[in-house]
Amino acid sequence: DGGITQSPKYLFRKEGQNVTLSCEQNLNHDAMYWYRQDPGQGLRLIYYSQIVNDFQKGDIAEGYSVSREKKESFPLTVTSAQKNPTAFYLCASKYYNEQFFGPGTRLTVL
Amino acid sequence: AQSVTQLDSQVPVFEEAPVELRCNYSSSVSVYLFWYVQYPNQGLQLLLKYLSGSTLVKGINGFEAEFNKSQTSFHLRKPSVHISDTAEYFCAVSVSNSGNTPLVFGKGTRLSVIA
């Protein structure tokens, strides 16, 4: 089945540690996106990539980094510079006018 | 730039009653409009979308929405809700023919269906 995979579902880290969230898609979509979701805040765009080896900052990129070395993969690193990293992270891809979402990773920083 | 306002953060409704979730957008150019649903601890699933043509759009699970250009609205409706419709609903907008630029989302409306 085609789709977007995010792993793991739940992730715990100690404060001050960097952590990388995985996002893989087998839909052959060019564009991929990372959103952060907090209660009552909706979805806020962190980074997006329209093509391999290219990406752009979204509205809340500070404290995050990404890479896009392969079409299928768009990992997100949450660095120690991110002041409040505990949140639900959603990865998405886009084909024509529709965005498709992965199941999300809930990150808790202790 | 585009923006989306979902006027109600929470909507409680009794089972089998009708519901309307309101969405207004702001844009100076032609747009595409979307409604997504999110069940707890899951990703978003597309309910319906308006790209062009008929302003009344039908989606999955018995939902429909009407595009009103003069009022810049795209309200979501269902004539009779079920317990299983309890979820968070997001309205989103993008500029027409904008390629791979990301959608802009509203802050969501939490629909709670009461037995």
Side-chain angles (χ1 to χ4, degrees), chain A residues 9-10 30-31 33 35 37 40-43 45 48-50 88 90 94-104 106, chain B residues 32 34 36 38 40-46 49 51 88 90 94-95 97-108:
Chain A
K9 181 71 172 175
Y10 299 94
D30 285 320
Y33 311 81
Y35 291 91
Q37 187 177 17
Q41 296 292 319
L43 277 70
L45 183 67
Y48 66 104
S49 168
Q50 300 194 59
F88 190 54
L90 286 160
K94 191 176 186 186
Y95 183 69
Y96 283 98
N97 304 301
E98 183 177 339
Q99 282 190 205
F100 299 81
F101 284 83
R106 186 167 298 280
Chain B
Y32 296 149
F34 307 81
Y36 283 83
Q38 183 183 35
N41 290 314
Q42 294 186 25
L44 276 67
Q45 177 185 2
L46 183 70
K49 60 185 176 184
L51 305 180
E88 189 145 24
F90 291 94
S94 74
V95 174
N97 300 317
S98 60
N100 288 326
T101 54
L103 303 185
V104 174
F105 287 84
K107 292 190 174 182

Side-chain angles (χ1 to χ4, degrees), chain A residues 37 43 90 101-102, chain B residues 6 21 34-40 42-48 60-61 63 76 84-92 105 108-111:
Chain A
Q37 187 177 17
L43 277 70
L90 286 160
F101 284 83
Chain B
Q6 292 185 242
L21 306 184
F34 307 81
W35 275 100
Y36 283 83
V37 61
Q38 183 183 35
Y39 300 102
Q42 294 186 25
L44 276 67
Q45 177 185 2
L46 183 70
L47 270 180
L48 49 79
I60 62 170
N61 300 341
F63 284 93
L76 181 70
S84 59
D85 292 322
T86 295
E88 189 145 24
Y89 293 80
F90 291 94
C91 183
F105 287 84
T109 297
R110 184 169 299 277
L111 174 64

Side-chain angles (χ1 to χ4, degrees), chain B:
Chain B
Q2 298 73 46
S3 66
V4 176
T5 302
Q6 292 185 242
L7 296 159
D8 305 296
S9 60
Q10 297 187 58
V11 173
V13 62
F14 286 104
E15 193 174 16
E16 297 183 7
V19 69
E20 178 179 82
L21 306 184
R22 297 180 292 168
C23 172
N24 285 89
Y25 68 93
S26 173
S27 176
S28 58
V29 297
S30 180
V31 296
Y32 296 149
L33 293 157
F34 307 81
W35 275 100
Y36 283 83
V37 61
Q38 183 183 35
Y39 300 102
N41 290 314
Q42 294 186 25
L44 276 67
Q45 177 185 2
L46 183 70
L47 270 180
L48 49 79
K49 60 185 176 184
Y50 171 78
L51 305 180
S52 65
S54 173
T55 57
L56 183 62
V57 180
K58 294 191 182 296
I60 62 170
N61 300 341
F63 284 93
E64 65 181 31
E66 187 158 17
F67 171 57
N68 188 319
K69 188 175 181 179
S70 62
Q71 297 188 10
T72 60
S73 68
F74 191 55
H75 301 332
L76 181 70
R77 301 185 183 100
K78 186 170 183 178
S80 175
V81 296
H82 302 286
I83 294 290
S84 59
D85 292 322
T86 295
E88 189 145 24
Y89 293 80
F90 291 94
C91 183
V93 64
S94 74
V95 174
S96 302
N97 300 317
S98 60
N100 288 326
T101 54
L103 303 185
V104 174
F105 287 84
K107 292 190 174 182
T109 297
R110 184 169 299 277
L111 174 64
S112 298
V113 180
I114 305 161

Side-chain angles (χ1 to χ4, degrees), chain A residues 36-106:
Chain A
R36 171 182 171 138
Q37 187 177 17
D38 298 280
Q41 296 292 319
L43 277 70
R44 293 184 289 170
L45 183 67
I46 306 173
Y47 268 98
Y48 66 104
S49 168
Q50 300 194 59
I51 199 166
V52 174
N53 293 323
D54 185 51
F55 48 82
Q56 290 82 41
K57 292 183 178 180
D59 301 317
I60 57 165
E62 185 176 349
Y64 298 97
S65 66
V66 294
S67 63
R68 187 82 187 279
E69 297 176 1
K70 299 186 299 182
K71 191 175 188 177
E72 301 80 16
S73 179
F74 190 40
L76 173 75
T77 297
V78 184
T79 75
S80 57
Q82 168 51 231
K83 300 300 181 191
N84 186 19
T86 294
F88 190 54
Y89 290 87
L90 286 160
C91 179
S93 66
K94 191 176 186 186
Y95 183 69
Y96 283 98
N97 304 301
E98 183 177 339
Q99 282 190 205
F100 299 81
F101 284 83
T105 292
R106 186 167 298 280

